[in-house]
Amino acid sequence: MGLKVAVVGATGNVGRELLALLAELKFPVSEIAAIASRRSLGREVSFGDKTLKCQSLDYFDFTGWDICLMSAGGATSKEWSPKIAAQGCLVIDNSSQWRMDPDVPLVVPEVNPDAAMNYKKKMIIANPNCSTAQLVVALKPLHDLAKIKRVVIATYQSVSGTGKEAMDELWTQTRGIFVNDPVKTEVYPKQIAFNVIPHGGDFMEDGYTTEEFKLVAETKKMLDPTIKVTATVVRVPVFVGHSEAVHIEFENPISDEEAREALEEAPGVVVMDRREAGGYMTPVEAAGEFPVYVSRIRTDPTVENGLAMWVVADNLRKGAALNAIQIAQLLVERGAFEKKLTAAEA
């Protein structure tokens, strides 16, 4: 008994994580397909204790398949997601292509689960940017408690958010520096090893970057369009795990104790906030974990009703693959595939 699930982009960082999590979480799969570009045809990827051979997206027939977990970039999703959806297969997309489409729900299950059920207009559901996903999970319980007016975010984003080539570049540069080899920059515009780069995505006319715009627009779409958001995106020499320094201004009074209690009770959040050396979360510890971790919760005395905190999560999991599978789990729980599962059971 189960659903037919296809993973597009199966050889990438997020694609591999999707396959690993589908097996780890025992998602009800009756048939699984690993799909990639023609150049990856026949490459092997793991699904639990099984090995799958990649099939070509160009020739795969999605008729009769239930869910496509798409993680192949915006251009591929723009071309293929509507075609796949037209064959009756629901697409859960990890790219930025559909996030701001008014007919496509943008979903984090802990934040706006009801939105997921609006998928039928285009048969596509969008996954938010990895930094946005962990941010809104931490903001949601606080917004419910005291209504957020303004958020200022500085991100510390790992290189895995850019892709495998970026992880290879960090490794190669780091190793090269130790043996006095010249530093080569191919993925990033400047050296990433032993450095930080205040740049993510492309620059826009107002001086912000597209990565910063995603944080602003996606937070508004999922949480509240009236919230004012500004962000500075920074890439750091960390392999996996995004961190965020978050400063929040509320409409109503809120103490750090009240915020801590609300976060401790919130789904998907783990508070690690001891006011001592080491009493906080770092990306190395968050790698491979499911939750969004919140630390350094404290009053911000520079604004009325202000709060500051530190938010960390595995960007390949909650920031991408895990959130996509949680959306699929949510749809199963809410009966979106009830007829298919009931028929299989019978």
Side-chain angles (χ1 to χ4, degrees), residues 200-262:
D202 300 320
F203 275 91
M204 303 188 301
E205 287 185 6
D206 60 2
Y208 283 86
T209 67
T210 51
E211 282 288 303
E212 291 158 351
F213 174 78
K214 290 172 191 175
L215 269 165
V216 175
E218 293 170 18
T219 298
K220 286 174 172 284
K221 181 172 178 177
M222 285 186 288
L223 202 57
D224 188 333
T226 67
I227 295 174
K228 295 178 180 179
V229 184
T230 186
T232 300
V233 162
V234 183
R235 194 70 64 177
V236 296
V238 170
F239 283 108
V240 176
H242 287 357
S243 306
E244 296 166 341
V246 185
H247 292 258
I248 314 164
E249 184 181 357
F250 296 87
E251 287 193 8
N252 303 308
I254 180 172
S255 68
D256 52 0
E257 292 86 358
E258 290 170 328
R260 190 174 291 105
E261 288 177 7

Side-chain angles (χ1 to χ4, degrees), residues 125-148:
I125 297 177
N127 222 31
N129 180 266
C130 44
S131 297
T132 310
Q134 69 186 65
L135 175 68
V136 294
V137 168
L139 291 182
K140 170 65 174 173
L142 302 178
H143 185 55
D144 289 346
L145 182 63
K147 196 165 179 26
I148 295 172

Side-chain angles (χ1 to χ4, degrees), residues 18 69 92 94 127 317 320-329:
L18 283 164
L69 298 171
I92 301 175
N94 268 297
N127 222 31
R317 291 206 155 195
L322 176 62
N323 195 73
I325 294 172
Q326 286 175 324
I327 292 170
Q329 288 175 322

